[in-house]
Amino acid sequence: MGHLDHATFGWLTPVLSYAMACIGAALGLRCTVRALDTTGRSRRNWLITAASAIGTGIWTMHFVAMLGFGVTGTDIRYDVPLTLLSLLIAMAVVGVGVFAVGHGRDRVRSLLIGGLTTGVGVASMHYMGMAALRLHGQVRYDPMLVALSVVIAVVAATAALWAALNIHAPAAVALASLVMGAAVSSMHYTGMFAVRVEVVPSSAPLPGASVMQFIFPLAVGLGSYLFITSAFVALSPTATERAAYASAESLTEPDERAVDVAPPGFHPATTTEEPAAAAHAPAQPYPSGPVDGGPAYPRRARA
């Protein structure tokens, strides 16, 4: 039986994989919170982003951890189609769980269905990724540890969806993401401790791609996607912030609708109309008598 090393690069791959799981969880939770504050197409788009973020984070966590996996006596290769299929499965099953929570009327039932679906899907992604492993020998599993890893995945997924429904403060979301990242990492390493490899020495070339040829570039690309999407979500205003901005703008804008709502034929009085009316009025003759209306005195005769 070959010796399995789960950290050939030391603590680098476990810590980095945990960070990827936390980032994906935080991004997915924030997107789910945004989705629950909206309706229609906007809710659908936020839920799709949440599913892709959580699924990508879990998949990246798994294969970053696999960068440090080694078996003495054999090289390791990965089947490219199966590896990509595991990524699609991760996003699809997480999407089912997220949409069940985002559109379900009964929250308890939706939470249980979504948590079970997502947890089983995450475990399926893990073991499909392991099925993509190519080495000289046979891979076997401890059934009890496999079952425990599935239970951990279901509990972690249910807790994450519950957090999305009930936690809205950024600090609380960050704490929930750390817990979810720890749960996902625990599921992964529980499943890895269930692995047993019987090495069969051989000089035949292994099919598939090596870790550095395929897994490392893909993990870096998906990790960059998580960072960029996280920045976009962090900078985009929430529904509450947009409502506050709209209210502030309505208070500061001048009211220019007074003329528009006036009844037909109404013309406001202006000071410029009075001189114009006076100019068109007929000229009054200058009075011949006293202007004060007093008695008229006779004129003095000339000498």
Side-chain angles (χ1 to χ4, degrees):
M1 182 176 293
H3 173 70
L4 277 63
D5 191 350
H6 299 284
T8 58
F9 297 103
W11 284 99
L12 176 62
T13 50
V15 171
L16 187 58
S17 63
Y18 172 69
M20 291 295 102
C22 291
I23 292 173
L27 180 57
L29 292 179
R30 290 301 298 165
C31 291
T32 305
V33 170
R34 296 288 186 90
L36 295 176
D37 290 336
T38 59
T39 57
R41 182 180 299 178
S42 181
R43 171 173 289 195
R44 181 200 64 190
N45 293 339
W46 279 116
L47 290 176
I48 291 174
T49 306
S52 64
I54 297 176
T56 300
I58 293 172
W59 188 94
T60 306
M61 177 270 148
H62 171 80
F63 280 100
V64 167
M66 293 302 292
L67 293 175
F69 177 71
V71 181
T72 57
T74 178
D75 293 330
I76 295 177
R77 296 288 187 273
Y78 290 90
D79 184 278
V80 174
L82 275 180
T83 304
L84 293 177
L85 182 59
S86 68
L87 172 60
L88 296 178
I89 287 178
M91 292 190 291
V93 295
V94 171
V96 171
V98 168
F99 271 83
V101 170
H103 290 283
R105 296 183 181 273
D106 186 346
R107 288 204 165 187
V108 176
R109 181 180 179 182
S110 301
L111 181 63
L112 294 176
I113 293 175
L116 179 63
T117 303
T118 304
V120 172
V122 169
S124 301
M125 178 278 302
H126 172 86
Y127 290 105
M128 180 165 288
M130 293 300 296
L133 208 64
R134 298 291 179 265
L135 47 77
H136 293 301
Q138 293 183 348
V139 178
R140 303 183 185 279
Y141 294 94
D142 183 335
M144 294 299 296
L145 289 178
V146 170
L148 179 60
S149 69
V150 175
V151 171
I152 293 174
V154 172
V155 172
T158 305
L161 295 176
W162 177 89
L165 288 174
N166 298 279
I167 296 178
H168 297 274
V173 170
L175 180 60
S177 304
L178 296 177
V179 175
M180 184 180 176
V184 172
S185 298
S186 300
M187 181 277 298
H188 170 83
Y189 284 105
T190 301
M192 293 305 297
F193 289 146
V195 175
R196 303 289 185 269
V197 178
E198 296 181 4
V199 177
V200 178
S202 175
S203 59
L206 290 169
S210 67
V211 170
M212 292 302 173
Q213 288 175 340
F214 174 60
I215 300 299
F216 180 73
L218 187 58
V220 170
L222 294 176
S224 301
Y225 162 77
L226 289 176
F227 279 108
I228 294 172
T229 309
S230 299
F232 169 76
V233 173
L235 294 176
S236 62
T238 62
T240 304
E241 292 171 344
R242 288 195 298 269
Y245 294 156
S247 177
E249 289 179 358
S250 64
L251 293 176
T252 56
E253 287 179 354
D255 191 2
E256 299 178 350
R257 299 173 296 172
V259 177
D260 296 335
V261 299
F266 173 79
H267 299 287
T270 58
T271 56
T272 58
E273 292 183 358
E274 295 178 1
H280 292 286
Q284 297 293 332
Y286 191 80
S288 58
V291 296
D292 58 357
Y297 293 97
R299 294 182 180 179
R300 181 181 297 179
R302 293 182 179 179

